[in-house]
């Protein structure tokens, strides 16, 4: 309650109506898989185009080296080609993958930012530089010198006094105002008060240029002085290519560049080596499942625990049951995302497909078959890839153009020139009721997704769009209702909450996501004495019961035609 102590007019703002509730995005995808480079732990990286993926994670992997584990790059390309716009990626690397480094680095120990043979192409070019110089105006007692400008000089810096051809290397002990104390006294006449000085006291640093292909990073005026703000370890922390540690500190008798490169060198180059992509044989389901090592250290599937944006997730080409069941469990645990699963390429017969399908019973995942034929830019030929990346793009495209209530089926596949297997109606008659979504080619209609079922045995959740609509509603209501927490649990709050949710669901109904000819037929909201007891209120619980009528897809279109006779 505001206090009014002085006479006057007071103007105050207050909120009386409901707060608008905004729908969350459902078209953001997440992929997990092998890549040529990129971080292997921490938060998944946002990718907005195939070129962006190439910049962060490198290009396509060799089939000879990684076989069925190499499909992440192809899935990313297909995702964007089929209408996807935002994608988060987590890289998995084999346990025997190694980061390139300079093992004999006596002064600077460098290594590639992450494992992979890509690091063997990284070059670090070192050149001498200086961040500050000034003439000495007066020599004081005790190795102290009054200079024209002491800015840029720090205790511990190696400095060079230049007079004509002679150079004296020294070390700064302290800097106070325009007075610099050195570790040793300079010899000869050092003062220079001329308008154009010819004698200079300058700092001694070096510049690092890190080159990888067309990428280049420059770290100017780096120092070996740990006390300086331009200490090389601090500067290189922001590099996306290398990790670097100074194994030695500045010495007063040798410049930092000479410590690194030796005497009489104009430039010095550090070559990284020993990097390895690892082998497919070293991969195991544990690499994809990942480890929960705490925030910023999680790997594999576990890294997506820290991401609350992704609503579609896949591990393209990885069909190991342990990995897929872990991915489904991850989606069920969070309740905010849907998994797209691939079948093994060799599972083409109906019995083999059903055997793999029987491993799952969840409304948070869907299975798609067969594999798709696309052009491989690496080998310049057509290859077969798993469908999950393409299907994720179709989910995103359908959500954007029609809404999450539209089943992501009867949609054409872009960039796909053929199918690994052609299924007929009789085979789909067996697979569709079992919850396997087939991709089929129709004459004159292209290649289309011809199924929209989850892997759930519960008929209430057999359609993908119903589960994803509820994910959308639940996440939107949860994210838009944070303002309710710790508000007084009174009838005024109940009325505001009901108005907020009512306005949101009415908008969803008008968009065609809910069945019914009126909002009353489409949903109901109960809050108050009918949903809460006094014990609930005493224990801080506000309970709202919401019922919605989701639209179901017209999966079977039946036209019943009879013969009309003249007497009828």
């Amino acid at each position: 309650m505001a206090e009014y102590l002085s006479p006057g007019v007071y103007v105050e703002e207050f909120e009386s109506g409901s707060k608008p509730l905004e729908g969350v995005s459902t078209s953001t995808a997440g992929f997990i898989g092998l890549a040529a480079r990129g971080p292997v732990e921490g938060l998944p990286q946002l990718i907005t185009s195939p070129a962006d993926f190439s910049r962060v994670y490198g290009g396509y992997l060799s089939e000879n080296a990684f076989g069925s584990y190499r499909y992440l790059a192809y899935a990313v390309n297909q995702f964007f080609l089929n209408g996807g716009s935002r994608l988060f990626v987590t890289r998995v690397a084999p346990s025997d993958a190694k980061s390139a480094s300079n093992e004999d680095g006596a002064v600077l120990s460098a290594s590639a930012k992450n494992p992979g043979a890509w690091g063997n192409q990284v070059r670090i070019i070192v050149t001498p530089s200086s961040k500050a110089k000034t003439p000495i105006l007066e020599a004081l007692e005790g190795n102290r010198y009054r200079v024209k400008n002491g800015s840029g000089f720090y205790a511990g810096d190696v400095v060079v006094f230049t007079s004509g051809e002679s150079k004296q290397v020294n070390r700064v002990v302290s800097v106070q105002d325009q007075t610099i104390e050195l570790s040793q006294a300079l010899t000869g006449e050092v003062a220079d008060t001329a308008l154009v000085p010819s004698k200079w006291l300058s700092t001694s640093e070096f510049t690092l240029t890190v080159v990888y292909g067309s990428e280049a990073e420059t770290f100017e005026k780096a120092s070996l002085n740990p006390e300086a703000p331009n200490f090389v370890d601090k500067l290189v922390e922001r590099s996306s290519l290398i990790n670097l540690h100074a194994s030695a500190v500045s010495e007063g008798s040798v410049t930092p560049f000479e410590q690194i490169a030796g005497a009489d060198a104009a430039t010095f180059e550090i070559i990284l080596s020993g990097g390895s992509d690892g082998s497919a044989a070293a991969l195991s389901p544990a690499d994809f499942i990942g480890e929960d090592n705490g925030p910023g250290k999680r790997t594999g599937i576990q890294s997506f625990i820290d991401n609350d944006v992704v609503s579609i997730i896949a591990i393209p080409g990885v069909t190991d049951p342990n990995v897929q069941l872990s991915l489904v469990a991850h989606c069920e645990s969070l309740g905010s995302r849907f998994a797209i699963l691939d079948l093994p390429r060799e599972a083409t017969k109906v019995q083999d497909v059903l055997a793999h399908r029987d491993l799952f019973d969840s409304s948070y995942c869907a299975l798609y078959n067969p594999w798709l034929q696309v052009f491989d830019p690496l080998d310049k030929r057509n290859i077969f890839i798993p469908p999950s990346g393409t299907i994720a793009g179709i989910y995103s495209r359908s959500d954007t153009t029609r809404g999450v209530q539209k089943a992501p089926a009867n949609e054409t596949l872009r960039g796909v020139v053929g199918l690994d297997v052609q299924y007929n109606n009789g085979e789909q008659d067996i697979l569709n009721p079992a919850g396997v979504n087939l991709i089929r080619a129709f004459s004159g209609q292209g290649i289309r997704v011809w199924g929209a079922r989850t892997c759930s045995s519960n008929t209430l959740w057999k359609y993908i769009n119903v589960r994803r609509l509820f994910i959308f509603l639940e996440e939107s209501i949860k994210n838009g209702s944070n303002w309710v927490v710790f508000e007084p649990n009174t009838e005024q709050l109940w009325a505001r909450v009901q108005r907020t949710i009512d306005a949101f669901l009415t908008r969803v109904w008008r968009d065609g996501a809910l069945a019914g000819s009126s909002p009353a037929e489409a949903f109901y909201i109960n809050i108050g004495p009918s949903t809460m007891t006094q014990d609930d209120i005493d224990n801080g619980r506000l309970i709202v019961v919401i019922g919605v009528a989701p639209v179901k897809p017209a999966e079977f279109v039946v036209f019943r035609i009879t013969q009309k006779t003249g007497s009828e």
Side-chain angles (χ1 to χ4, degrees):
M1 183 72 69
E3 290 186 347
Y4 307 105
L5 303 178
S6 301
V9 176
Y10 296 86
V11 178
E12 299 172 350
E13 294 182 356
F14 71 98
E15 296 179 357
S16 60
S18 59
K19 294 193 175 185
L21 199 155
E22 184 177 357
V24 298
S25 169
T26 58
S27 59
T28 303
F31 287 173
I32 303 163
L34 260 67
R37 53 179 291 209
V40 295
E41 65 177 16
L43 291 173
Q45 300 293 303
L46 174 63
I47 302 298
T48 57
S49 68
D52 201 16
F53 176 84
S54 179
R55 180 183 58 82
V56 178
Y57 290 101
Y60 299 94
L61 296 176
S62 165
E63 180 180 11
N64 295 332
F66 294 105
S68 61
Y69 292 113
R70 67 187 182 107
Y71 294 113
L72 176 63
Y74 300 94
V76 169
N77 185 62
Q78 280 290 302
F79 172 77
F80 289 109
L81 184 61
N82 280 274
S85 57
R86 290 197 304 167
L87 175 67
F88 286 87
V89 174
T90 284
R91 179 194 175 198
V92 172
S95 57
D96 58 348
K98 296 180 181 179
S99 297
S101 64
N102 64 328
E103 298 179 355
D104 57 346
V107 179
L108 297 179
S109 300
S111 64
K113 199 74 172 181
N114 41 68
W118 71 274
N120 298 332
Q121 303 174 37
V122 173
R123 296 183 300 120
I124 305 171
I125 302 169
V126 187
T127 54
S129 61
S130 176
K131 69 177 184 294
K133 68 176 183 178
T134 183
I136 297 175
L137 300 181
E138 182 183 3
L140 305 176
E141 296 180 353
N143 301 342
R144 294 164 61 245
Y145 299 89
R146 184 169 65 86
V147 298
K148 186 174 182 179
N149 185 0
S151 177
F153 291 83
Y154 298 94
D157 280 353
V158 173
V159 293
V160 177
F161 179 72
T162 305
S163 176
E165 296 295 326
S166 69
K167 294 184 178 180
Q168 301 179 52
V169 181
N170 218 312
R171 193 164 183 266
V172 176
V173 176
S174 65
V175 179
Q176 187 175 7
D177 296 330
Q178 307 305 322
T179 301
I180 296 177
E181 181 181 357
L182 302 179
S183 59
Q184 298 177 358
L186 297 174
T187 59
E189 180 61 39
V190 297
D192 188 345
T193 58
L195 184 62
V196 180
S198 59
K199 303 176 183 179
W200 297 96
L201 182 68
S202 58
T203 60
S204 181
E205 285 84 26
F206 53 94
T207 293
L208 295 177
T209 303
V210 185
V211 179
Y212 170 70
S214 60
E215 296 181 52
E217 299 175 341
T218 301
F219 305 95
E220 296 182 337
K221 302 176 178 60
S223 169
L224 292 179
N225 177 14
E227 305 300 322
N230 59 328
F231 181 45
V232 65
D233 287 27
K234 299 176 185 176
L235 290 182
V236 181
E237 280 180 353
R238 65 177 187 269
S239 171
S240 61
L241 296 174
I242 63 168
N243 296 314
L244 188 140
H245 172 66
S247 305
V249 298
S250 302
E251 297 179 0
S253 57
V254 182
T255 65
F257 180 76
E258 289 181 352
Q259 282 186 257
I260 298 169
D264 302 326
T267 62
F268 183 73
E269 191 170 284
I270 299 173
I271 303 294
L272 304 188
S273 61
S276 167
D277 288 331
S279 61
L283 287 166
S284 70
D287 296 318
F288 294 93
I289 296 170
E291 296 181 359
D292 189 350
N293 299 318
K297 297 290 184 180
R298 297 184 175 99
T299 62
I301 296 173
Q302 307 303 319
S303 66
F304 280 90
I305 293 176
D306 297 324
N307 183 299
D308 57 359
V309 179
V310 166
S311 61
I312 311 163
I313 192 167
I315 309 179
V318 178
T319 58
D320 184 282
N322 299 292
V323 177
Q324 291 187 326
L325 287 168
S326 295
L327 184 65
V328 173
H330 167 80
C331 294
E332 290 180 333
S333 175
L334 294 181
S336 61
R337 57 192 53 152
F338 191 86
I340 301 174
L341 306 180
D342 298 312
L343 277 97
R345 186 182 174 189
E346 61 272 13
T348 56
K349 296 181 180 179
V350 171
Q351 296 87 342
D352 296 335
V353 173
L354 291 176
H356 194 85
R357 158 67 186 90
D358 289 342
L359 297 171
F360 308 97
D361 186 3
S362 173
S363 66
Y364 285 88
C365 66
L367 277 166
Y368 289 86
N369 207 39
W371 284 36
L372 313 175
Q373 189 177 40
V374 301
F375 180 73
D376 182 3
L378 182 64
D379 293 338
K380 304 296 188 295
R381 62 184 176 89
N382 288 341
I383 63 169
F384 290 99
I385 67 168
S388 55
T390 307
I391 299 299
I394 290 174
Y395 277 30
S396 180
R397 183 176 81 206
S398 178
D399 289 356
T400 302
T401 58
R402 297 290 300 278
V404 71
Q405 73 275 6
K406 163 69 170 65
N410 199 3
E411 300 279 351
T412 57
L413 278 65
R414 300 171 183 167
V416 176
V417 297
L419 299 174
D420 194 22
V421 179
Q422 293 280 2
Y423 289 98
N424 58 34
N425 287 341
E427 291 160 334
Q428 188 163 22
D429 287 344
I430 300 172
L431 294 175
N432 188 68
V436 178
N437 302 308
L438 294 184
I439 302 168
R440 298 183 60 184
F442 297 96
S443 178
Q445 300 180 56
I447 298 174
R448 293 175 177 263
V449 183
W450 210 243
R453 296 203 175 194
T454 69
C455 295
S456 177
S457 61
N458 186 342
T459 55
L460 288 174
W461 302 105
K462 69 178 178 179
Y463 292 118
I464 294 170
N465 62 301
V466 173
R467 166 46 69 197
R468 297 189 66 233
L469 173 63
F470 270 76
I471 290 175
F472 165 73
L473 295 176
E474 292 164 6
E475 289 300 299
S476 299
I477 292 173
K478 182 176 72 173
N479 291 350
S481 301
N482 280 334
W483 63 271
V484 180
V485 181
F486 296 115
E487 288 290 312
N489 198 355
T490 63
E491 293 183 2
Q492 289 86 350
L493 178 64
W494 304 344
R496 292 184 67 190
V497 171
Q498 181 154 5
R499 288 196 299 270
T500 297
I501 299 175
D502 184 272
F504 170 68
L505 292 179
T506 299
R507 187 169 71 250
V508 172
W509 167 73
R510 285 176 177 153
D511 290 340
L514 302 180
S517 58
S518 66
E521 295 179 359
F523 63 87
Y524 66 81
I525 305 166
N526 290 335
I527 184 172
S530 62
T531 63
M532 292 177 286
T533 65
Q534 187 59 43
D535 180 69
D536 291 322
I537 296 174
D538 291 341
N539 284 282
R541 292 189 286 265
L542 188 154
I543 301 173
V544 185
V545 177
I546 304 171
V548 298
V551 293
K552 307 292 176 62
E555 186 178 18
F556 310 104
V557 180
V558 181
F559 294 100
R560 290 178 176 153
I561 303 174
T562 188
Q563 188 178 93
K564 182 180 184 299
T565 62
S567 60
E568 292 179 351

